[in-house]
Amino acid sequence: NNQNQLDKPKTLTNYFEIVMSKLGKCSKNTLRDLINKYQPNKLPNKEDDMETHITIALESLWSIKNGDWEGLITLASEELDSNVSESDEYIRQCVINGNKLSESKIKELIRKYNESGNIPKFDKRKYKGTLLKADYLASLIDLLREQMDGDYKQVAGYLYKESLSSIKKGFS
């Protein structure tokens, strides 16, 4: 029982972070199903970005549990936990497959999928040091996820194919 009390969030920020973490791991199709279930009149266009879908999904859950944060977390868990577990596995696969790529290949893919064609840079006024391969990989995964309707499974598959194509074949 003491462990349950330790696991309970203490602030509204904690509650919000728990729900947003669950919603943020869902594909656009999962979010659309959730919105359609609770507030079909608020269903955004399929072409709308992930941020729009996540916001409306949160509003849809909130419309059912208005004012009851613990109820909101319970509802989000009931609706999304199986999807979140699956997404966690695909996130791991994204990182594993992405780590097989060279940093230059990751940057090339960022340029390909980033509308501006730019790769992330540090704001020298705020940060010291340089970006690491992991920082570029995180940016690439975010870009790919936006392109692939928030579906980590598709992103993991794409990065797997890219990792296979980047393996040198034969003798050099």
Side-chain angles (χ1 to χ4, degrees), residues 6 9-10 14 17-18 20 29 40 43 50 54-55 61 63 67 69 77 80 102 106-107 113 126 133 140 165:
L6 292 175
K10 300 284 190 249
N14 294 129
E17 287 172 356
I18 290 168
M20 290 304 288
N29 286 334
L43 191 64
M50 286 296 295
I54 290 170
T55 301
L61 290 172
S63 72
W69 279 101
S77 295
L80 304 172
S102 68
I106 292 170
K107 289 179 180 179
Y113 288 100
K126 295 180 182 176
K133 179 181 175 181
L140 176 60
S165 69

Side-chain angles (χ1 to χ4, degrees), residues 59-117:
E59 290 171 1
S60 297
L61 290 172
W62 189 250
S63 72
I64 303 301
K65 296 294 181 181
N66 193 12
D68 178 10
W69 279 101
E70 288 185 11
L72 179 68
I73 290 170
T74 300
L75 180 61
S77 295
E78 290 168 357
E79 292 287 346
L80 304 172
D81 275 0
S82 64
N83 186 280
V84 169
S85 297
E86 186 177 291
S87 291
D88 285 341
E89 179 54 37
Y90 287 121
I91 291 167
R92 281 189 282 283
Q93 290 302 314
C94 289
V95 173
I96 290 167
N97 295 333
N99 274 326
K100 293 176 185 174
L101 302 173
S102 68
E103 186 173 313
S104 61
K105 180 65 176 179
I106 292 170
K107 289 179 180 179
E108 175 189 319
L109 292 171
I110 289 171
R111 282 188 207 93
K112 178 179 176 180
Y113 288 100
N114 190 354
E115 290 177 13
S116 70

Side-chain angles (χ1 to χ4, degrees), residues 155-167:
V155 175
Y158 176 82
L159 290 172
Y160 177 74
K161 288 177 188 169
E162 284 295 327
S163 71
L164 290 179
S165 69
S166 69
I167 296 173

Side-chain angles (χ1 to χ4, degrees), residues 3 11-12 19 22-23 26 38 49 52 58 66 75 83 103 106 116 125-126 137 148 155 171:
Q3 185 60 42
T11 66
L12 290 178
V19 174
K22 291 176 185 301
L23 292 170
C26 294
Y38 292 110
D49 63 12
T52 300
L58 176 62
N66 193 12
L75 180 61
N83 186 280
E103 186 173 313
I106 292 170
S116 70
R125 295 170 294 181
K126 295 180 182 176
L137 180 56
M148 298 176 182
V155 175
F171 298 100

